[in-house]
């Protein structure tokens, strides 16, 4: 099963992709995480992406399309995968369709997480991450036990530089101008399902699973309570 997670910054795509990936035993890629790692390591990709990310703008399509094509060409994606943060433009969506069509596949379902803008900005403002182990926290909904420090590894928590209010507002504007048309693109293809992302994490996950597990069966897998992948 090939799933795309779509939604504005702060909608909860990252959290939901992690959880869905576990439940469905599917690998996932988060293009934002991949770019941040490249920036932290100072690779040529990281150097290229940094100014765009710091301004809250999109990294050029050709760069992102190459990244996804390379990822798709690596082993481990035969039974499907979940995309978080890609596609973000209609061009990227078309390129993904073309790449999948070449191997006789297509996007099975797009989950669009919708959340009101004011709620998104509040969520982003309270979001803190651990630079060491990647754990994420929210000052309002999931604060760390000791303020400012990671529960898992004790490191000092930081805010993503692009989560600062002015950059977050720019990201939101870029989302509405460039990514929102992707919703339309998938709606016309009949593969879009909207989920209310303003609910609790578990309610959102349940709604997504209800959609994905009732899809007409291609070859998708799920894990039972004990973690064994089983064909359904
Ligand atoms: P995210 O963590 O998904 O919010 O992504 C953080 C930033 O990475 C975005 O604001 C963009 O600058 C960049 N980025 C991530 N994915 C893409 C993409 N598919 N196309 C263009 N830029 C991207």
């Amino acid at each position: 099963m090939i799933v795309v997670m779509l939604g504005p910054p702060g909608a909860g795509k990252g959290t939901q992709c992690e959880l869905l990936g576990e439940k469905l035993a599917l690998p996932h890629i988060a293009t934002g995480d991949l770019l941040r790692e490249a920036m932290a390591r100072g690779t040529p990709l990281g150097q290229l992406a940094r100014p765009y990310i710091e301004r809250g703008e999109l990294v050029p399509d050709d760069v992102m399309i190459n990244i996804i094509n390379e990822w798709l060409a690596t082993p481990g994606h035969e039974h499907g995968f979940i995309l978080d943060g890609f596609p973000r433009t209609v061009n990227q969506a078309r390129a993904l369709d073309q790449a999948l069509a070449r191997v006789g596949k297509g996007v099975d379902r797009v989950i669009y997480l919708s959340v009101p803008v004011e709620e998104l900005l509040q969520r982003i403002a309270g979001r803190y991450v651990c630079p060491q182990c990647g754990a994420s926290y929210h000052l309002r909904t999931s604060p760390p036990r000791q303020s400012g420090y990671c529960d898992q590894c004790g490191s000092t928590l930081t805010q993503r530089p692009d989560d600062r209010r002015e950059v977050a507002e720019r990201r939101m504007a870029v989302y509405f101008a460039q990514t929102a048309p992707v919703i339309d693109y998938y709606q016309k293809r009949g593969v879009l399902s909207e989920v209310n992302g303003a609910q609790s994490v578990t309610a959102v996950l349940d709604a997504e699973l209800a959609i994905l597990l009732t899809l007409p069966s291609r070859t998708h897998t799920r894990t039972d309570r004990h973690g064994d992948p089983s064909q359904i």
Side-chain angles (χ1 to χ4, degrees):
M1 177 167 36
I2 296 175
V3 179
V4 168
M5 187 69 71
L6 207 61
K13 299 187 296 297
T15 305
Q16 292 298 328
C17 283
E18 290 273 347
L19 297 170
L20 269 184
E22 273 170 35
K23 286 275 180 195
L24 300 170
L26 289 175
H28 79 276
I29 179 170
T31 47
D33 288 348
L34 190 143
L35 294 172
R36 278 185 290 278
E37 273 164 35
M39 277 164 57
R41 285 189 284 120
T43 66
L45 171 65
Q47 287 169 22
L48 186 151
R50 181 181 293 280
Y52 294 98
I53 292 183
E54 286 181 349
R55 288 196 302 266
E57 288 170 8
L58 295 184
V59 174
D61 280 345
D62 55 338
V63 176
M64 298 312 300
I65 290 166
N66 276 339
I67 290 176
I68 287 296
N69 282 341
E70 277 174 21
W71 187 77
L72 292 176
T74 57
H77 309 127
E78 301 77 10
H79 297 294
F81 49 85
I82 306 174
L83 294 178
D84 166 8
F86 188 97
R88 256 178 155 102
T89 64
V90 171
N91 259 347
Q92 292 181 13
R94 287 206 189 99
L96 176 64
D97 276 348
Q98 284 161 10
L100 294 176
R102 283 197 286 275
V103 289
K105 293 185 177 169
V107 171
D108 292 292
R109 184 64 29 188
V110 177
I111 303 281
Y112 163 46
L113 290 179
S114 64
V115 178
V117 175
E118 224 5 82
E119 164 77 12
L120 291 170
L121 289 170
Q122 274 186 32
R123 283 186 185 185
I124 290 174
R127 183 158 72 177
Y128 280 77
V129 289
C130 174
Q132 207 57 40
C133 72
S136 58
Y137 300 88
H138 194 279
L139 295 185
R140 183 167 42 109
T141 51
S142 51
R145 281 192 294 273
Q146 193 189 351
S147 175
Y149 296 97
C150 180
D151 290 352
Q152 321 272 346
C153 70
S155 301
T156 306
L157 299 176
T158 57
Q159 202 178 19
R160 270 172 53 175
D162 60 344
D163 276 354
R164 290 193 320 270
R165 179 95 189 187
E166 60 286 5
V167 185
E169 283 174 356
R170 177 81 193 122
R171 284 162 62 208
M172 214 59 79
V174 166
Y175 169 81
F176 285 110
Q178 299 187 59
T179 308
V182 180
I183 300 171
D184 221 37
Y185 177 88
Y186 284 124
Q187 192 151 37
K188 288 196 178 113
R189 309 194 136 223
V191 291
L192 188 90
S193 295
E194 180 168 346
V195 169
N196 173 7
Q199 311 170 83
S200 69
V201 169
T202 46
V204 175
L205 181 65
D206 286 348
E208 291 163 346
L209 287 171
I211 292 162
L212 295 174
L213 295 177
T214 52
L215 280 184
S217 179
R218 282 210 207 171
T219 50
H220 55 277
T221 58
R222 73 172 174 210
T223 47
D224 66 15
R225 283 188 307 121
H226 310 291
D228 296 330
S230 56
Q231 290 287 328
I232 56 168

